[in-house]
């Protein structure tokens, strides 16, 4: 690569010259193809190395640490890095590597110049050289501009912002500007070169295939955050123009016709005002209660949209909630009667919208309440094992790293309570409704019926309640699969699940 051949030596342990990461094992010498000159690196006693960059440098692993050397074997960076990412090492222009030291990531170029000190939890590739950097302590994100070797956005954002967004033509980043979510279903444009939001917030802000961005009502924006043409303008009657690096538009009626410019005055169309309105963007997380449970607005998101379509969040503390027209529901107020209740949301005595909650007749002694639990069958923990990106449930002596999240999501009189089960934020389901199907994490949320008894619970598929969750083969050995199997009547011992509340 880049005009060099590296000679290695196979070993009994390796059995090959290249490992699974593409590193050359047991490197001995380097030869320049054009001149035939050879360089010995055997004295370094490296166990593996990368290819040679256009700067005549390569990474060598020694005593499980990586260092940067040139083809003559001179050390450029010491052997102190526990991991490297050299996916861009073979670039013809500006090759670089991500390097890890003391558990933190940094970036160096092929000459050994440190571009980013090893201070970051992660550094991820971004479109057009804008890299997402994540602060090791706070977990927040910023932007490193590889083109200018400067951090243009400090690590103050809740998530990575320069990620690929597939379009029919192009990507999400246009001229250093990207659409970002600023929380609670609000979106805006963010200029990564100056580290600032450059538009108001809208429900929708997305890139279009023509190199512009559009909002909820199809106003089109340039990368500087200005509206190029508004929703009242028929974009098919405009040509885009660029002047001094800024994008604008000219109506085609203003162009020369037969060599003459128009003499009439052009009046730019003004969009009709948008009706100002309140919207419930997200309902409260909990809309199923037991008698005695307190009302909870956690998760409720209410927007106010002005006559320009700009949205803002209404603080939930400024909202009031009423049921039966006059009964005010304050945060934590206990429900005393069962049934479906319509909750009216008001802001400054104006009705925003309504949503329903349901209060069940069941008591906490007869139903599994929302919360985090560990689960056991036959004295063994139900344990999620990660394989190929999927959690598979089996029995183990080991306690899972995290508890399972159990949530009551529905109740149908003739079918009973419906629950979701999640682990580490991922839904637990079953790949099929066949006997023997092993429980696993799934992309779609699955619903289960959980029945509570004195000392145990049973879990059944909500859609097909003959399918009982149990330990495969009535076994309790470590590694036994947790499956569903058709079973009616009283639960067998290997189908009794003990729920243990997480402390």
């Amino acid at each position: 690569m880049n005009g060099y051949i590296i000679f290695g030596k196979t070993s009994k342990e390796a059995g090959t010259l290249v490992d699974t990461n593409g590193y050359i094992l047991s490197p001995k010498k380097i030869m320049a193809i054009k001149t035939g000159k050879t360089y010995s690196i055997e004295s370094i006693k490296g166990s593996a190395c990368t290819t040679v960059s256009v700067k005549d440098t390569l990474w060598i692993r020694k005593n499980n640490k990586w260092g940067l050397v040139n083809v003559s074997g001179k050390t450029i960076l010491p052997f102190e890095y526990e991991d490297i990412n050299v996916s861009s090492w073979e670039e013809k222009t500006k090759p670089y590597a991500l390097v890890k030291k003391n558990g933190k990531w940094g970036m160096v170029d092929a000459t050994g110049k440190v571009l980013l000190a090893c201070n970051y939890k992660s550094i991820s590739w971004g479109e057009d050289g804008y890299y997402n950097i994540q602060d090791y302590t706070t977990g927040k994100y910023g932007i490193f501009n590889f083109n200018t070797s400067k951090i243009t956005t400090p690590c103050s954002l809740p998530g990575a912002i320069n990620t690929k967004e597939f379009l029919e033509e192009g990507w999400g980043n246009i001229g250093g500007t990207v659409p970002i979510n600023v929380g609670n279903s609000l979106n805006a444009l963010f200029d990564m070169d100056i580290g600032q939001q450059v538009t108001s917030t809208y429900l929708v802000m997305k890139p279009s295939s023509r190199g512009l961005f559009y909002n909820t009502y199809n106003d089109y924006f340039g990368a500087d955050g200005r509206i190029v043409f508004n929703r009242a303008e028929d974009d098919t009657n405009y040509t885009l123009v660029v002047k001094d690096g800024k994008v604008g538009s000219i109506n085609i009626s203003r162009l020369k016709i037969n060599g003459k410019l128009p003499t009439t005055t052009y009046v730019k169309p003004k969009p009709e005002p948008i009706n100002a309105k309140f919207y419930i963007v997200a309902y409260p997380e909990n809309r199923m209660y037991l008698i005695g449970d307190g009302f909870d607005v956690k998760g409720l998101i209410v927007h106010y949209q002005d006559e320009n379509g700009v949205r803002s969040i209404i603080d939930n503390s400024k909202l009031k909630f009423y049921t039966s027209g006059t009964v005010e529901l304050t945060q934590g107020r206990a429900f005393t009667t069962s049934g479906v209740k319509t909750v009216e949301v008001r802001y400054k005595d104006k009705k925003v919208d309504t949503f329903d909650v349901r209060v069940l007749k069941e008591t906490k002694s007869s139903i599994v309440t929302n919360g985090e639990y560990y689960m056991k069958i036959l004295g063994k923990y139900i344990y999620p094992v990660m394989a190929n990106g999927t959690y598979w449930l089996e029995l183990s002596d080991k306690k899972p790293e995290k508890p399972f999240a159990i949530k009551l999501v529905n109740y149908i009189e003739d079918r009973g309570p419906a629950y979701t089960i999640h682990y580490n934020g991922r839904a637990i389901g079953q790949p099929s409704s066949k006997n023997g199907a092993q429980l696993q994490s799934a992309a779609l949320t699955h619903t289960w019926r959980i029945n509570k008894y004195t000392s145990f619970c049973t879990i059944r598929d909500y859609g097909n309640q003959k399918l009982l969750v149990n330990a495969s083969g009535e076994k309790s050995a470590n590694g036994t699969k947790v499956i569903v199997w058709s079973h009616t009547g009283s639960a067998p011992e290997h189908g009794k699940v003990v729920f243990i509340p997480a402390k």
Side-chain angles (χ1 to χ4, degrees), residues 61 102 164 167 244 302 467:
R61 185 172 61 204
N102 299 325
K164 282 186 177 181
L167 302 167
D244 299 328
V302 176
L467 293 174

Side-chain angles (χ1 to χ4, degrees), residues 141-294:
Y141 289 80
I143 289 291
F144 172 69
N145 188 337
F146 184 74
N147 308 303
T148 61
S149 297
K150 293 181 180 179
I151 295 175
T152 57
T153 303
C155 293
S156 58
L157 302 170
I161 62 174
N162 190 27
T163 56
K164 282 186 177 181
E165 180 174 342
F166 180 78
L167 302 167
E168 187 175 351
E169 300 173 25
W171 300 104
N173 166 21
I174 299 173
T177 297
V178 289
I180 64 168
N181 178 268
V182 294
N184 297 323
S185 300
L186 296 179
N187 297 280
L189 291 184
F190 188 92
D191 187 330
M192 295 184 289
D193 283 322
I194 60 175
Q196 293 181 8
Q197 180 180 318
V198 291
T199 65
S200 299
T201 51
Y202 301 87
L203 181 67
V204 172
M205 180 63 82
K206 291 186 176 181
S208 74
S209 59
R210 73 187 77 199
L212 299 175
F213 300 90
Y214 64 93
N215 69 0
T216 316
Y217 292 95
N218 289 322
D219 296 315
Y220 281 83
F221 296 76
D224 59 1
R226 295 184 307 113
I227 294 178
V228 176
F229 47 83
N230 63 53
R231 58 188 178 276
E233 299 173 280
D234 183 352
D235 60 309
T236 61
N237 291 330
Y238 286 79
T239 182
L240 296 179
V241 294
V242 179
K243 183 179 181 180
D244 299 328
K246 295 184 178 181
V247 179
S249 65
I250 296 177
N251 188 281
I252 58 175
S253 67
R254 315 317 296 161
L255 303 178
K256 283 185 178 181
I257 299 176
N258 296 325
K260 295 182 179 179
L261 289 170
T263 57
T264 57
T265 302
Y266 174 70
V267 179
K268 187 179 180 71
K270 292 184 178 180
E272 291 292 327
I274 298 168
N275 292 330
K277 189 176 179 181
F278 294 97
Y279 290 90
I280 293 182
V281 178
Y283 293 109
E285 292 178 6
N286 186 22
R287 296 170 67 190
M288 298 285 292
Y289 295 91
L290 303 179
I291 292 177
D293 286 345

Side-chain angles (χ1 to χ4, degrees), residues 359-378:
V359 184
L360 304 181
K361 297 177 181 178
E362 279 75 7
T363 64
K364 292 182 180 180
S365 63
S366 64
I367 199 166
V368 176
T369 56
N370 294 344
E372 294 186 331
Y373 298 85
Y374 297 98
M375 296 182 285
K376 281 185 173 182
I377 297 177
L378 298 175

Side-chain angles (χ1 to χ4, degrees), residues 51-66:
T51 53
V52 180
S53 74
V54 291
K55 302 296 183 180
D56 300 336
T57 55
L58 70 159
W59 291 91
I60 293 181
R61 185 172 61 204
K62 179 182 179 181
N63 297 326
N64 289 322
K65 292 291 181 71
W66 292 91

Side-chain angles (χ1 to χ4, degrees), residues 376-379 456 468 470-471 474 490-497:
K376 281 185 173 182
I377 297 177
L378 298 175
F456 65 89
L468 176 72
N470 65 96
E474 305 181 31
S490 299
E493 290 300 313
H494 64 287
K496 295 179 179 179
V497 184

